[in-house]
Amino acid sequence: MTDELFDVRGKVALVTGGTGGIGGMIARGFVRRGVRTYLVGRDPQKTTDVAAAVSGDDGDCRPLVADLADPAQVAALAAEFARHEERLHILVNNAGAVGPDSLDASTTQAWDDIMELNVRTPFQLVQGLLAPLRAAASVDDPARIVNIGSIGGLHVPNWEAHAYGASKAALHHLTRSLAKKLGHDSITVNAIAPGPFPTSMTSASAETVRKNVQTYIPLARAGEEHDMQGLVLFLSSRAGAYVNGVTIPLDGGYMAAL
């Protein structure tokens, strides 16, 4: 029974921003459990190399190249996916942007870049991929959309992150509104709000992050790959089929301790 509850073998997933960081963690977790995974990145060579490295005996990882900051490339990505697959069981909207975000230094372009990639792109991808998501959905085993938000969208940190925090809060709300709309199509929409996970987007080094979190995370450590994989696999499997419209902090208790 446990194996059936958490089994995702044979499903098809698309993970944006999958060439590193949290997206890479998620892609590796899917492939190891038999999910045919489409990994989306901007750089053709890197995306191809990472997909080849992730593929293995248990699963298949395939590269798709797109700069998701460009609406035309978002539409092209959805069309390209449809040429390969009729069904999409799991869409992970992970691609995101950070940038200079102080009140004094932030520019209109920096604000727009963050908002467009973090909010508009996930919405447009859902629009473009609705047909394969609906084709994969059933009442017993819905199709899944997992948006990667941030605890920065749940609270105001001690540093300036105005556009980033606003964009992630917007993504959390978009998650709820899409969940209400798509639940009738047997498609669940949930968000994960990670706390500190050492990645290339983290402003400090992995070692610095590990030392700092000991002072403000109740579990006294940063997030690790298996933590992210476990939650995404739960949301993507039969075990998470009745979870819809929620944002789950994955933060070792940080939000609870504020």
Side-chain angles (χ1 to χ4, degrees), residues 219-238:
L219 289 181
R221 66 172 177 86
E224 298 178 4
E225 181 161 315
H226 65 270
D227 300 313
M228 181 59 63
Q229 290 174 352
L231 181 51
V232 174
L233 288 166
F234 164 72
L235 291 174
S236 302
S237 67
R238 184 65 185 85

Side-chain angles (χ1 to χ4, degrees), residues 77-103:
L77 171 65
E80 177 67 18
F81 177 84
R83 282 191 282 271
H84 296 281
E85 303 284 350
E86 294 182 356
R87 294 176 176 82
L88 176 60
H89 300 89
I90 309 160
L91 169 62
V92 179
N93 284 310
N94 168 72
V98 296
D101 211 5
S102 72
L103 183 60

Side-chain angles (χ1 to χ4, degrees), residues 5 16 24 48 66 126 128 153 188 213 249 251 257:
L5 268 179
T16 68
T48 300
V126 171
T188 68
V213 298
D251 63 358

